[in-house]
Amino acid sequence: MAHPNAPLNQVVQQYLDYLAYNKRYSPHTINAYARDMQRLIETLEDQGHRTWADAQADTIRDAMVTARKTHLAPKSIQRILSSWRSFFTYLLQQNLVKLNPVNGIRAPKSPRKLPNSLDPDQISQVLNATIASDDPMAMRDKAMLELTYSCGLRLAELASLNVFDIDLTDASLIVTGKGNKTRQLPIGRQAIVALKLWLQQRGQLKCYDANALFINHRGQRMGLRGIQMRMANMAAAHGQHIHPHMLRHSFASHLLQSSGDLRAVQELLGHSNISTTQVYTHLDYQHLAKVYDKAHPRAQEKTPLKEKPNHD
């Protein structure tokens, strides 16, 4: 155990050894911690501190101000604060400090990135493509695409679907989402057609999982990675880039553009908090802005040059 007055570097090395030998962290993770600790050492030394007990909340806040001035990304600052907080927790356990100066200090929030989505024509280009009637896997892939876009499913929700979750007569399905919460969703007409064709083919295949709605060529339930790859390949064959989450985002934005009913979209997506769904209002605004710029006669007019003042 290091002495409370031990050099800063010595205590850090002890901590890194602890992470390597006790926590079994990977060399890559250890290197990341080492860089964060070096930044912390420089912060303390710049303020004339010689021991870790000298570090106070103001020390950490000043370091955050400096990080922002150097245009460090919010995610990087969040990671650094997390590293420092873990380090001071370790120092508390070793009785080298009496408080954790990082506690209570919040990192800047990362700007919320708007989800990527496709326009209806791009999706139709893939979904309306002719599928070979003698290729059951292609029929399965189309059914997965249609169902994901029709219901706005998460990838994990799609993969976990069972045959008995689908009610073709009622054109609905029961899906289990995050937090083990279930919700009932309507299924669109085209998705129903695709599902019926796939279920006919599925009944003729070897199946080692009687419940799984979507199975692979070995008769086992489709995995997450397998679904992603099959969707990507099908889309690429028609000049598009599609992944399950993009279909979910497209479902939400297209529905909101048509209905304007944020609450309904929230229920369909299975969001527990409407603030999560509100990101699609930004997508909706972007869509409206593009329509305005393209269609409104005043949006395209060039601003006339101001007349020069007459000083005569």
Side-chain angles (χ1 to χ4, degrees):
M1 180 184 295
H3 189 274
N5 293 324
L8 301 177
N9 279 317
Q10 181 180 328
V11 179
V12 165
Q13 187 56 56
Q14 176 183 300
Y15 176 62
L16 296 177
D17 290 342
Y18 166 77
L19 295 180
Y21 300 113
N22 293 70
K23 291 292 189 177
R24 302 286 184 182
Y25 285 179
S26 69
H28 176 76
T29 301
I30 299 296
N31 289 335
Y33 270 97
R35 289 192 297 270
D36 292 340
M37 292 306 103
Q38 184 56 41
R39 179 187 289 269
L40 184 55
I41 287 174
E42 292 171 359
T43 297
L44 265 68
E45 289 178 341
D46 288 345
Q47 298 189 22
H49 299 327
R50 295 188 176 183
T51 69
W52 290 110
D54 293 332
Q56 303 295 321
D58 287 344
T59 309
I60 307 302
R61 291 193 185 94
D62 289 344
M64 293 300 97
V65 170
T66 301
R68 294 184 193 185
K69 285 181 178 178
T70 58
H71 305 293
L72 201 63
K75 279 191 175 181
S76 297
I77 296 177
Q78 291 168 9
R79 189 206 71 245
I80 290 170
L81 276 178
S82 177
S83 295
W84 291 0
R85 189 175 292 109
S86 298
F87 174 62
F88 277 104
T89 298
Y90 167 81
L91 295 184
L92 277 170
Q93 294 169 350
Q94 299 297 314
N95 295 317
L96 296 176
V97 297
K98 294 183 178 180
L99 56 83
N100 189 331
V102 187
N103 286 344
I105 296 180
R106 297 181 180 179
K109 291 184 178 180
S110 299
R112 194 162 195 180
K113 186 179 179 182
L114 293 178
N116 293 325
S117 62
L118 299 167
D119 63 48
D121 290 339
Q122 290 174 305
I123 293 178
S124 296
Q125 185 177 338
V126 178
L127 295 182
N128 293 340
T130 303
I131 301 296
S133 58
D134 60 346
D135 187 349
M137 297 297 100
M139 290 189 177
R140 176 205 61 195
D141 296 346
K142 181 169 183 178
M144 291 193 302
L145 280 162
E146 287 278 11
L147 193 59
T148 303
Y149 178 56
S150 176
C151 301
L153 299 176
R154 298 180 177 96
L155 173 58
E157 293 173 346
L158 179 70
S160 66
L161 281 176
N162 294 310
V163 175
F164 53 78
D165 292 327
I166 305 292
D167 187 338
L168 294 178
T169 303
D170 189 45
S172 67
L173 64 81
I174 300 294
V175 62
T176 303
K178 289 185 177 180
N180 225 25
K181 294 179 181 178
T182 60
R183 63 189 190 278
Q184 184 174 12
L185 300 173
I187 307 175
R189 183 172 56 85
Q190 295 296 336
I192 288 290
V193 172
L195 278 170
K196 286 181 177 179
L197 291 173
W198 159 240
L199 288 172
Q200 290 174 4
Q201 294 291 331
R202 183 187 179 280
Q204 301 173 27
L205 301 173
K206 280 188 177 181
C207 183
Y208 295 103
D209 188 334
N211 292 331
L213 177 61
F214 296 112
I215 58 174
N216 58 27
H217 65 280
R218 295 187 298 274
Q220 300 168 336
R221 183 183 292 273
M222 288 283 289
L224 304 184
R225 183 59 181 155
I227 293 175
Q228 289 174 319
M229 291 181 63
R230 293 295 300 192
M231 283 192 179
N233 291 341
M234 186 175 178
H238 300 91
Q240 298 294 342
H241 171 68
I242 289 178
H243 55 77
H245 217 50
M246 186 181 290
L247 287 174
R248 175 173 162 85
H249 291 322
S250 300
F251 159 86
S253 57
H254 297 167
L255 202 60
L256 189 59
Q257 287 167 14
S258 300
S259 69
D261 193 334
L262 191 64
R263 285 288 181 186
V265 175
Q266 177 194 1
E267 291 294 326
L268 291 168
L269 290 174
H271 287 161
S272 57
N273 195 321
I274 199 168
S275 64
T276 309
T277 318
Q278 282 175 334
V279 66
Y280 295 104
T281 62
H282 299 297
L283 286 175
D284 190 35
Y285 173 77
Q286 288 181 344
H287 168 75
L288 294 174
K290 288 179 182 177
V291 171
Y292 177 87
D293 288 341
K294 186 176 180 180
H296 197 286
R298 299 291 289 177
Q300 298 180 15
E301 284 188 12
K302 293 182 179 179
T303 304
L305 294 175
K306 293 183 179 179
E307 293 184 4
K308 293 182 180 179
N310 189 348
H311 297 296
D312 293 342

